[in-house]
Amino acid sequence: MGNVVLYLAMSVDGYIADEQGGVDWLGGDGSQPDAPGSYPSFYKTVDAIVMGWSTYHQIVTQLSPNSWPYEGRPCYVVTHRQEAAREGICFWKGELTALTNKLKAECAGNVWICGGASVAGQLLKEGRIDRLWLSVIPVVLGKGIRLFPELPHPLPLKLVKTQQYNGIVDLIYEKRGRAF
């Protein structure tokens, strides 16, 4: 059985995108420009990817319009749009929790919650995130798209690892105490 992992970058003040949804601020401080960061080793542990429509659309239109960056990994795009499946990409119209339960049962490795805020927020509210892996980018945006929604109760976490590279700090948490 795999783990559902929210692996995202965010600003110091908790935003995952600027007001227009842009992410051109993602990057380190230049102190270690050749540092590979945590992504390559994390990606090796991923068996399936889940993302919302906005994240998918941003990837295929802005971030990587000429090639799909997750080739070889099944990707599920949560949407209400009528889209035909493409090789390696399934457009999921069902319940998000049903999808994560299904993938968690089928996968031995990680189920990566790749974005965005709506998908992450729903899963946090439902207690479906096993691990939060947050890469804190050295920038304060002041406004934008927040990662964390208002929640009905606190989510107790246990810090299991930290790492830093190029001014970025990765904070890796797991559930603590009561389940989310």
Side-chain angles (χ1 to χ4, degrees), residues 6 10 13-16 117 120-121 124-125 132 134 145-151 155 157 173:
L6 177 62
M10 68 179 203
D13 52 344
Y15 295 99
I16 61 170
L124 284 167
K125 285 179 181 178
L132 282 84
L134 306 172
I145 299 172
R146 294 201 64 76
L147 171 55
F148 298 108
E150 288 187 24
L151 298 173
L155 304 176
L157 303 171
Y173 294 99

Side-chain angles (χ1 to χ4, degrees), residues 28-37 163-168:
D29 63 8
S31 61
Q32 297 172 296
D34 297 327
Q163 55 192 49
Q164 68 86 26
Y165 48 90
N166 199 25
I168 298 168

Side-chain angles (χ1 to χ4, degrees), residues 6-42:
L6 177 62
Y7 177 90
L8 288 175
M10 68 179 203
S11 66
V12 170
D13 52 344
Y15 295 99
I16 61 170
D18 65 24
E19 286 184 293
Q20 291 76 39
V23 293
D24 60 347
W25 52 272
L26 290 175
D29 63 8
S31 61
Q32 297 172 296
D34 297 327
S38 59
Y39 179 78
S41 60
F42 171 75

Side-chain angles (χ1 to χ4, degrees), residues 47-88:
D47 282 355
I49 302 166
V50 176
M51 67 181 68
W53 173 262
S54 295
T55 300
Y56 169 78
H57 188 259
Q58 185 176 43
I59 290 168
V60 299
T61 61
Q62 297 172 13
L63 303 177
S64 187
N66 298 319
S67 65
W68 181 242
Y70 308 121
E71 196 70 40
R73 302 280 196 305
C75 181
Y76 296 82
V77 178
V78 180
T79 184
H80 297 290
R81 299 179 195 305
Q82 295 298 323
E83 293 284 330
R86 298 178 185 140
E87 187 173 337

